[in-house]
Structure formats: C-alpha cells, structure tokens
Amino acid sequence: MHKSPKSVLVLSASPRRSGNSALLARAIAEGLAEAGNRPDFIYADDILGSFLRDCRACRKPDGCCAISDGFRSVFLEKFLPAQGFVAATPIYWYGMSSQLKAFFDRMFCYVAASYPDSPSVVASMMGKRIGLALSSEETFPTVSAGIVHQVQEYARYTRSTFVGHVHGYGNSRGEVCRDPAAPVARARQFGRDFFTAHATDYQIDTPRSGRVWGALEDSGAGDLHEEFKKPGAD
C-alpha cells in the first residue's frame, strides 16, 4: 500500500554552512527524501535574529511575539505542521549550539498562555518523531550525553518519540567524511529509516506484548532460540 509522504523540518544549527554537522543534516534530509518523505532543510542562522526576551515586556498588546525575524513563520508554518523534526548541531562546551538552544527557547513565546493561540500550538507540538545529528572533535564516549538527554527530555515533555541520533567526529570543515565509522552514510540511512525505526519510551503502565520483534517463529530466530535451550548454551 502506498504511504503518503511525511514532512520533516531539518534544522542545521551550526554557524558553518558547510561544517560537519551541516553535512550530517544534509545526508539525513537526502535519506528522508529517498524514503519518499518531504524534508524542509533550514539554517538556523537564516531565521533567528534574537534570543528569547522577557515576554512580559516584549509581547505585543494582542499577545503576539514582538521579535521581528524569521522564527515565527518557520515555527508556525513548517515546524508545527511537520510530522518530524531533526536538529543538527556541533557540540560546543558539551552542549548544543546557541542557535539550537535559541530555537527551543523561542518556542515559549507561542506556548505561554499569554499567546492567544497557545492551545493549538501545544497540540501541534505533540506526537512528532525527533532526531538529532551531532559532530565533535572529541571522541570521549559521553561527550554527547548532555545534548542527547536534553533532546530526550524535550521529546518526553511533548509526548513525542526520540528516534535516536547520529554522531560524527571531525574538526576541520568536512572532516566528518573521513570518520572511519562512516557517519555520513549512517545519517543517510537514519533519514531513510526515520519513520520506520523501532523507538520506544516505556512507562510502567505502557501496554506491551513482552516481545520486541514479535514471535520467534515469525522472525527467523527460532533455530537460535532452540540452540539456547540446549544444556550448556551461554
């Protein structure tokens, strides 16, 4: 059965347009398109002219945000209607870039009760699939832990699904292409699988079958299962 294409906002949040995280973002967008979806690739620097301000002093009399840049149109017309969101950022001081943080922070202008359409905004923010692309020079295993956790918490807060992340290593521009773990190819595959990848976030009362991949006889793993029944198998 033919599946209708899904829209995904892919946000490159590095000030380098041809940097390593931007290359990963492009690869994810290409994978999304190859899977028949509609990626919308945007550079954060093109739409963000200001950080979040004090809404009580900044907001217009009608409740609308007074900051005049491209964030409003992208957030309302591209992010909210999209079924997916992929953020790409280099790792700066073990955190996300200021551009990506500003993108998340500016959402508050439209979520707050003082914005007249906040109920519909909140409803449209929920239930998306969320992905992350990271680049860093440092290869220490937990260098990305802070960012991954922050995005996971955003997904949890908005009742969305965190699909996962792709991390490439490199410093000079484009060096991520030389990473022997092939993150650019993995990013493209990540895009292809974005809406089909198995992703869960169980709560204690989440209904589930007790299996991850279905019955063993249906998965081709029956012989392996029998092998582990034999005495001495470990």
Side-chain angles (χ1 to χ4, degrees):
M1 183 175 67
H2 178 72
K3 295 180 180 179
S4 59
K6 295 180 173 64
S7 61
V8 183
L9 177 62
V10 180
L11 183 74
S12 180
S14 170
R16 282 182 170 182
R17 290 182 176 259
S18 57
N20 291 309
S21 62
L23 286 172
L24 296 176
R26 282 287 184 192
I28 291 174
E30 290 166 3
L32 283 162
E34 289 167 4
N37 297 300
R38 299 191 308 271
D40 204 338
F41 189 96
I42 291 176
Y43 290 103
D45 273 350
D46 286 343
I47 63 169
L48 289 167
S50 174
F51 295 120
L52 179 69
R53 303 171 187 166
D54 180 358
C55 289
R56 291 167 294 185
C58 180
R59 199 177 290 278
K60 293 179 180 179
D62 63 359
C64 292
C65 178
I67 301 175
S68 180
D69 59 14
F71 177 81
R72 175 188 172 88
S73 62
V74 168
F75 180 69
L76 296 181
E77 299 170 17
K78 296 184 182 294
F79 177 83
L80 290 184
Q83 288 82 46
F85 174 61
V86 175
T89 177
I91 298 178
Y92 291 156
W93 291 101
Y94 305 97
M96 62 180 60
S97 70
S98 58
Q99 289 89 341
L100 182 54
K101 184 61 165 64
F103 187 86
F104 282 115
D105 287 348
R106 289 279 298 277
M107 294 180 185
F108 178 76
C109 299
Y110 302 92
V111 174
S114 49
Y115 179 66
D117 294 327
S118 64
S120 64
V121 168
V122 169
S124 296
M125 287 178 67
M126 296 169 63
K128 300 184 188 301
R129 286 178 78 87
I130 307 294
L132 181 62
L134 301 169
S135 66
S136 68
E137 175 187 17
E138 187 173 350
T139 60
F140 188 73
T142 59
V143 67
S144 63
I147 305 175
V148 171
H149 180 69
Q150 188 169 4
V151 175
Q152 283 176 322
E153 287 299 292
Y154 171 83
R156 180 195 60 81
Y157 187 64
T158 60
R159 296 189 180 276
S160 297
T161 299
F162 182 57
V163 177
H165 73 286
V166 178
H167 191 160
Y169 299 101
N171 187 3
S172 61
R173 194 167 303 184
E175 191 180 13
V176 73
C177 295
R178 299 175 60 191
D179 183 339
V184 176
R186 287 189 288 112
R188 187 187 293 267
Q189 189 63 48
F190 184 85
R192 292 191 196 103
D193 298 339
F194 188 70
F195 286 103
T196 57
H198 186 71
T200 57
D201 183 13
Y202 290 148
Q203 283 76 48
I204 194 169
D205 59 346
T206 301
R208 50 195 187 273
S209 69
R211 299 184 188 274
V212 175
W213 304 116
L216 288 170
E217 57 270 20
D218 296 332
S219 66
D223 293 340
L224 180 64
H225 179 63
E226 291 301 320
E227 183 68 23
F228 273 90
K229 285 182 176 180
K230 296 177 180 178
D234 59 16

